[in-house]
Amino acid sequence: MKVTQVTRALLPFPLCQRLLPSSLAGLSLAILKAAALEVAILAGHLLLYPSGIIQERRSPAALIPSQDGTDGTAHLPTETKPPVVLLHGFIDNRSVFVLLRRSLSQHGRQHVESLNYSPMTCDIATAAKLLGRHIEEICDRTGSEQVDIVGHSLGGLIARYYVQRLGGDTRVRTLVTLGTPHSGTKVAPLANAHPIVRQMRPGSAVIEELSSPAPGCRTQFVSFWSDLDHLMDPLESACVDHPDLLAQNVRVSGIGHLALPLHPAVAAGIRQALDGECAAARNGAGSAAHRDGLTVA
């Protein structure tokens, strides 16, 4: 049985509730506010986009200590959490994560890295192999055996392919996806000219690969999906629905696709997921092991 966790981001104005039927007022106001927020985010992101074109510099990191403590390096405390890798969506770059990165750093994540992949990337499997090489480099540099990943839109699909099809579950402890078309999306058919967009369609070879058996996959999946995501058709395509995966699907109410990596309520939910507060799903059997009734606001 699939139970959905709800993250509420917006509430209707009382005046509009008096002027319109409550259900219509709430829906109309939520749509208008979500649309206005998406436009504002798009404008801000266009301003920030140039700052994220170049791959960020990799500063040397103190090694996470080995269990026997014999590596002879300067050690971080033993409770140090795994590095977090942020992976952007289609025709985007690392600048989309500026607020989420700050939030994670302020709440104890000592090592957060944003990876860029080329907007000319034409194949999800190829991008997933590149991601795997980046993660190996991060693990070598930090001394960590695992990482956590937060992927927005296409970035989440690339990370899932790495985890599920390229053995990345040995390296990825938790994969959080934001508005990722796990089952494929039918939106914007005119964009089919781009090969990677065709791979995000329902029934594509990549989507079929990801629906194939994945016994013993060790990565924990947490998928945030929005009820006003204009790029997901159907909306539930952003949910992970696979019998072999340990997954939790979190419904975000009232914000759109672009707001998912920026909204403070979603950031709080991501921190909870990465801090292991979704651990109950790890002990469940099959897909979509969930908790009910949690509101993040």
Side-chain angles (χ1 to χ4, degrees):
M1 179 178 67
K2 180 180 292 187
V3 182
T4 300
Q5 178 179 338
V6 179
T7 296
R8 295 193 181 276
L10 299 170
L11 294 174
F13 292 125
L15 175 61
C16 291
Q17 284 185 303
R18 292 196 296 269
L19 295 177
L20 296 171
S22 58
S23 60
L24 181 58
L27 180 60
S28 300
L29 253 296
I31 292 174
L32 289 174
K33 290 186 72 175
L37 182 60
E38 291 284 282
V39 171
I41 289 172
L42 180 59
H45 190 41
L46 289 175
L47 292 175
L48 287 174
Y49 191 92
S51 68
I53 292 175
I54 300 174
Q55 194 79 261
E56 69 181 4
R57 293 182 179 179
R58 308 289 183 231
S59 58
L63 293 181
I64 294 175
S66 61
Q67 292 182 351
D68 59 11
T70 60
D71 55 10
T73 62
H75 295 317
L76 294 176
T78 55
E79 66 270 22
T80 298
K81 299 170 183 176
V84 179
V85 179
L86 307 177
L87 197 61
H88 62 79
F90 181 56
I91 314 180
D92 212 335
N93 64 38
R94 60 187 177 86
S95 63
V96 72
F97 290 119
V98 60
L99 295 181
L100 177 59
R101 181 172 188 154
R102 181 182 305 169
S103 175
L104 292 172
S105 297
Q106 289 175 343
H107 288 82
R109 288 285 168 163
Q110 298 175 338
H111 196 91
V112 182
E113 294 198 8
S114 302
L115 299 182
N116 278 353
Y117 57 88
S118 170
M120 302 304 293
T121 299
C122 293
D123 181 63
I124 287 175
T126 299
K129 292 175 184 176
L130 179 61
L131 172 63
R133 291 197 291 271
H134 278 301
I135 289 175
E136 290 301 319
E137 187 273 330
I138 291 170
C139 289
D140 288 343
R141 177 160 38 89
T142 64
S144 177
E145 294 184 356
Q146 289 187 305
V147 302
D148 292 330
I149 298 179
V150 179
H152 180 224
S153 195
L154 172 61
L157 205 61
I158 291 170
R160 179 178 171 185
Y161 194 97
Y162 166 65
V163 165
Q164 194 176 327
R165 305 299 297 173
L166 301 179
D169 61 319
T170 62
R171 285 299 197 190
V172 181
R173 186 188 68 158
T174 302
L175 171 56
V176 176
T177 65
L178 312 172
T180 290
H182 290 286
S183 300
T185 178
K186 296 181 286 187
V187 77
L190 294 180
N192 280 344
H194 198 293
I196 212 164
V197 173
R198 295 197 296 271
Q199 291 184 339
M200 290 190 285
R201 297 302 190 200
S204 73
V206 167
I207 298 300
E208 290 300 313
E209 270 194 88
L210 293 177
S211 66
S212 62
C217 184
R218 286 159 281 194
T219 298
Q220 164 70 31
F221 291 80
V222 182
S223 175
F224 289 80
W225 65 284
S226 171
D227 57 8
L228 293 178
D229 191 332
H230 59 287
L231 293 182
M232 295 299 109
D233 182 15
L235 291 173
E236 292 80 4
S237 65
C239 296
V240 176
D241 186 9
H242 193 295
D244 294 332
L245 302 182
L246 301 175
Q248 182 175 28
N249 295 309
V250 183
R251 178 182 173 185
V252 181
S253 180
I255 62 175
H257 187 81
L258 298 179
L260 284 169
L262 299 170
H263 199 283
V266 180
I270 292 170
R271 295 196 307 268
Q272 290 177 6
L274 297 182
D275 287 343
E277 296 183 29
C278 298
R282 294 187 178 96
N283 301 321
S287 166
H290 307 284
R291 294 176 301 161
D292 188 26
L294 175 63
T295 298
V296 180

